[in-house]
Amino acid sequence: MTNDASKPVVVFAALQLVNEQRTAYGLRYNDFVRYRKHCANRTHRLRSTLKMTHGKGREFKKLPALSTENIKDLHLQLLLLEAERAWAYSQDLSSQALLPANAAHASTLRHSSTGRFRRAVHWATQLLSHAQALHAQSRLSSENLLQVFVYTLILNGRLLRSKDDFEEALAQLGVARGVLDVLADKAATSKAQALYVLFSDEIGPEIRYCAHEMGREKAYDVDGIVQEASKGRREELVPGCAQLLEGLGKEGAGVEGRKRLEELTWEGTPVPIRNPELVDVLLKVQEAEARLNGEKKEKSSKKGVAAYDAILLALSDAEEVARKLVEAQQINGSTSSGTSGGPGGRDVQFVHAYIVYQLLSRRIQRDLLLVSALLTTSKASGSSVTKKSGKNSKAEQVDSRLYPAVVKLLDTVLQSLDQMRTLSIVDDSPDLASAVEARTSFTKARRCLFLSQCYTPVKRYAEALTLLQHASIHIRETLSSLSLLGPSDPISPSPSSPSYFPLPSSDITELESSIASTGLQFKRAWFTHNGGTIDQDGESAKKFEKPLFFNIALNYVELDMDRLATRAGKQPEPAPAPAAAPQVPVKQVPAVKARVEEVRPETPEPVAPVRGGLSSLLGGWWGKN
């Protein structure tokens, strides 16, 4: 291997570039047409940038051969995207051949698809030859060369599988899977590890299918098949593989531990992150958590509350990425993310639910901290006012905006707890579900307590006492839910371990005593105010309101109100005497005599003269002359 220090080093991560292009331009939802158009546009721009066009107009200009001395990373990108373009076109033709409308020429489409697939393997082989030449000159790292090897083996293995050459396809894919496993173990960053795991999961089902078609008994044992294929064919398909892996260890020794994602666990089981997009956003969450832990000393101040904004923003971004992955998985109908995870493998839906749980827990923690900050500030201001006013001052004056603000924050906490209870990971754990329900009931009790404080300034003591009764019921629900837990609380297993919502028994006892003392205080204030009656001095007491059945009955029956008043123990009001009607003088009108009907003789009707002959017959038709 020659070492030419005058030549620049080429950095070309083939698998990372392929994953980014496929994810961003359509293959997340299996849109091969869009991805093929993108590859065509991208290759055209690269040719224009590298001045590798074949002239203008009808004049064809042959390009000079590409030498290793002049090669750049853009040349490698051009070859890679040409291979991706041909592969996307092949997949598009294969999907068209499966449509019932194209049944007449399905064989032609499959033949064209195979031709485009061969073209993709041709471009990938050219890319591999240039990468090997660059590595021989120490201008390309071993990791980048192994990525090109893996990409070429995957394409060639899929082409052989489409031709039903399952034995050779199994060897190609098995060696690629073995190299990916080694790369994942020696990855310098968590993102690179997730990238290798992602490609390893994609070819896992294809290896199992080839083994099944070959009639193997243990076709489900993908790891065993990969070990068998790696022992016999690795050096043949990947020349100098052992030396490349040794060089990979030396290259990654200097950057070991950089940008490593801490292990995520759920109920003692590790949660593997098998997608590079999730690694990026979870690294931001990890950095925000580190900054938040560094500001624990100021957790009761406004600065401590504002420190949660960064971690909530990072968790919101992570939730959005996970939700898009879940939607893509539901559309594609694939579960490749959990094919090789083993007993600890988790699918994308679980990772999404885990991120949502973390987001809701941090939101609850921020809201509870804000509630405590508001109450602490109110107590401090109230004590200072009491000291200034002297010992003979009345009860402490509380800002009227305090309790409505606390109730609003507790409403947000209840909303987050209700969403948390509906998550699948919470529903699958009985202890965690009981712990969440206990905290929901406890928050409802606190909300009723603070909401009752909002009614006392307007002298609505009956409503306030009713809310306190509801708070007592919620306290009993909290104790009942906590009795269903096991030996430890899954949310706060020990007092020393941090928890987003600690719920010790002392807090429940304190809240219960506070509800009792507040209820006694309200009863005394109500009795002092009006003797414990409802709306005695209000406007509603001045109006006489009948029961509802009176309003219905009076439409049909006239009631004896005096008798009802007597039965009620009241003296009926005496009816006022009717006033005498004034006498109006009546004028005497003389009687009119009745007229006698005069009888007149009947008037005789005129008799028409009688005509004879023809005139008497036609007289009825033509009338008189």
Side-chain angles (χ1 to χ4, degrees):
M1 180 182 296
T2 62
N3 189 359
D4 192 357
S6 61
K7 299 295 182 181
V9 177
V10 177
V11 179
F12 179 69
L15 296 182
Q16 180 179 353
L17 180 61
V18 166
N19 180 64
E20 291 175 355
Q21 299 297 318
R22 290 180 180 180
T23 303
Y25 296 100
L27 284 198
R28 187 193 296 271
Y29 305 103
N30 287 339
D31 191 354
F32 292 101
V33 177
R34 179 190 172 192
Y35 184 61
R36 178 169 63 90
K37 291 180 180 179
H38 162 71
C39 292
N41 296 333
R42 180 67 176 168
T43 53
H44 178 69
R45 288 194 299 269
L46 287 173
R47 289 184 185 277
S48 300
T49 303
L50 297 172
K51 298 181 180 180
M52 295 180 62
T53 57
H54 296 280
K56 296 182 180 179
R58 296 184 179 180
E59 182 181 359
F60 179 77
K61 183 180 179 180
K62 186 177 181 180
L63 295 176
L66 188 62
S67 60
T68 309
E69 289 75 13
N70 300 328
I71 199 169
K72 302 178 183 178
D73 57 342
L74 294 181
H75 294 92
L76 301 180
Q77 288 187 24
L78 177 62
L79 295 173
L80 179 64
L81 289 174
E82 287 285 3
E84 284 290 290
R85 178 186 179 185
W87 172 77
Y89 196 11
S90 171
Q91 299 302 308
D92 184 24
L93 292 174
S94 298
S95 60
Q96 292 181 18
L98 298 176
L99 297 177
N102 300 327
H105 49 279
S107 59
T108 305
L109 291 173
R110 285 193 294 268
H111 180 73
S112 301
S113 173
T114 305
R116 300 311 301 177
F117 217 142
R118 280 197 296 264
R119 191 64 180 171
V121 173
H122 170 72
W123 288 113
T125 306
Q126 287 190 13
L127 173 64
L128 178 59
S129 62
H130 287 298
Q132 286 176 323
L134 289 174
H135 182 265
Q137 297 180 359
S138 299
R139 296 177 57 192
L140 190 69
S141 64
S142 301
E143 182 179 4
N144 291 342
L145 179 59
L146 286 173
Q147 288 189 20
V148 177
F149 264 117
V150 168
Y151 179 75
T152 307
L153 289 174
I154 290 175
L155 279 184
N156 200 15
R158 287 175 174 173
L159 175 61
L160 294 172
R161 181 180 59 82
S162 65
K163 293 181 177 182
D164 294 342
D165 190 356
F166 299 111
E167 184 176 359
E168 187 64 24
L170 182 62
Q172 300 265 354
L173 295 174
V175 171
R177 170 68 182 272
V179 174
L180 284 172
D181 292 342
V182 177
L183 287 172
D185 293 337
K186 297 184 177 182
T189 61
S190 297
K191 184 177 181 180
Q193 182 181 10
L195 177 67
Y196 299 138
V197 171
L198 177 66
F199 277 91
S200 178
D201 291 343
E202 286 184 357
I203 63 176
E206 298 179 71
I207 295 174
R208 186 163 54 246
Y209 174 75
C210 293
H212 174 73
E213 291 295 329
M214 292 173 61
R216 294 200 175 192
E217 295 182 357
K218 296 184 178 180
Y220 55 88
D221 187 9
V222 178
D223 295 334
I225 297 172
V226 169
Q227 291 179 2
E228 181 181 351
S230 298
K231 290 180 181 179
R233 303 290 301 275
R234 175 179 288 182
E235 290 296 331
E236 177 186 352
L237 298 176
V238 184
C241 183
Q243 298 178 359
L244 291 175
L245 294 178
E246 291 179 2
L248 180 65
K250 295 178 181 179
E251 293 171 359
V255 293
E256 187 71 25
R258 186 181 63 181
K259 293 183 180 180
R260 300 290 295 184
L261 183 65
E262 295 181 359
E263 185 180 14
L264 304 177
T265 58
W266 177 259
E267 295 182 348
T269 306
V271 181
I273 305 301
R274 317 179 75 85
N275 195 288
E277 297 178 67
L278 287 175
V279 173
D280 290 336
V281 292
L282 289 178
L283 281 173
K284 296 180 182 179
V285 174
Q286 181 176 311
E287 295 174 359
E289 286 182 349
R291 290 197 299 268
L292 181 63
N293 294 332
E295 298 178 359
K296 283 184 177 180
K297 297 180 180 180
E298 301 180 359
K299 62 181 180 179
S300 60
S301 63
K302 294 182 179 179
K303 189 175 181 181
V305 174
Y308 284 87
D309 294 340
I311 188 172
L312 289 177
L313 179 61
L315 285 170
S316 299
D317 295 340
E319 190 274 334
E320 184 179 0
V321 172
R323 178 167 44 82
K324 288 182 180 179
L325 293 175
V326 170
E327 292 175 356
Q329 188 185 58
Q330 291 175 352
I331 292 175
N332 298 335
S334 62
T335 56
S336 60
S337 59
T339 53
S340 61
R346 305 284 184 169
D347 54 1
V348 181
Q349 286 89 351
F350 179 85
V351 176
H352 176 255
Y354 175 81
I355 294 174
V356 173
Y357 180 84
Q358 297 297 325
L359 174 61
L360 294 174
S361 63
R362 289 296 183 179
R363 190 179 297 170
I364 292 170
Q365 191 176 11
R366 191 270 313 270
D367 293 336
L368 292 177
L369 183 59
L370 189 56
V371 169
S372 63
L374 287 175
L375 296 176
T376 304
T377 306
S378 174
K379 290 181 181 179
S381 61
S383 61
S384 62
V385 170
T386 304
K387 290 180 181 179
K388 291 180 181 180
S389 58
K391 298 181 179 180
N392 297 327
S393 61
K394 296 182 179 179
E396 297 181 0
Q397 297 293 332
V398 180
D399 191 353
S400 60
R401 300 171 297 177
L402 174 64
Y403 294 123
V406 173
V407 169
K408 188 174 182 180
L409 287 172
L410 293 178
D411 284 337
T412 308
V413 173
L414 284 174
Q415 182 181 4
S416 300
L417 287 171
D418 291 338
Q419 293 179 6
M420 184 181 291
R421 182 60 183 86
T422 59
L423 295 176
S424 58
I425 57 176
V426 177
D427 199 20
D428 293 341
S429 177
D431 289 344
L432 183 58
S434 299
V436 172
E437 290 174 356
R439 281 154 178 82
T440 302
S441 302
F442 182 77
T443 307
K444 288 180 179 179
R446 290 189 67 190
R447 180 185 178 277
C448 290
L449 175 61
F450 288 111
L451 186 58
S452 64
Q453 302 282 354
C454 301
Y455 282 92
T456 53
V458 292
K459 312 300 181 183
R460 304 291 294 273
Y461 296 104
E463 291 82 353
L465 290 173
T466 303
L467 287 170
L468 291 180
Q469 291 178 0
H470 284 285
S472 301
I473 295 174
H474 292 312
I475 288 293
R476 290 198 294 269
E477 291 177 355
T478 303
L479 296 174
S480 176
S481 299
L482 290 176
S483 64
L484 300 176
L485 296 178
S488 63
D489 192 345
I491 295 180
S492 54
S494 62
S496 60
S497 62
S499 172
Y500 65 91
F501 198 152
L503 188 59
S505 57
S506 59
D507 289 354
I508 302 176
T509 306
E510 182 181 357
L511 180 60
E512 192 172 5
S513 62
S514 177
I515 291 172
S517 60
T518 306
L520 181 59
Q521 179 184 355
F522 288 170
K523 291 176 183 178
R524 290 176 179 176
W526 191 10
F527 184 79
T528 305
H529 174 59
N530 56 10
T533 58
I534 301 176
D535 287 336
Q536 185 177 2
D537 298 331
E539 295 182 358
S540 60
K542 298 179 182 179
K543 300 179 181 179
F544 177 71
E545 295 182 358
K546 297 179 181 179
L548 180 60
F549 71 92
F550 277 124
N551 296 333
I552 299 174
L554 283 178
N555 293 329
Y556 308 97
V557 181
E558 293 184 1
L559 297 177
D560 189 357
M561 303 303 296
D562 295 338
R563 183 169 177 271
L564 288 177
T566 304
R567 295 186 64 182
K570 298 181 181 180
Q571 295 294 332
E573 297 180 0
Q583 297 182 358
V584 180
V586 182
K587 296 181 180 181
Q588 295 183 359
V589 181
V592 181
K593 296 181 179 180
R595 296 180 180 180
V596 180
E597 185 179 359
E598 297 180 359
V599 180
R600 297 182 181 182
E602 296 180 359
T603 305
E605 296 181 358
V607 181
V610 180
R611 297 181 182 181
L614 185 59
S615 61
S616 63
L617 294 175
L618 301 177
W621 289 356
W622 283 280
K624 297 180 180 180
N625 294 334

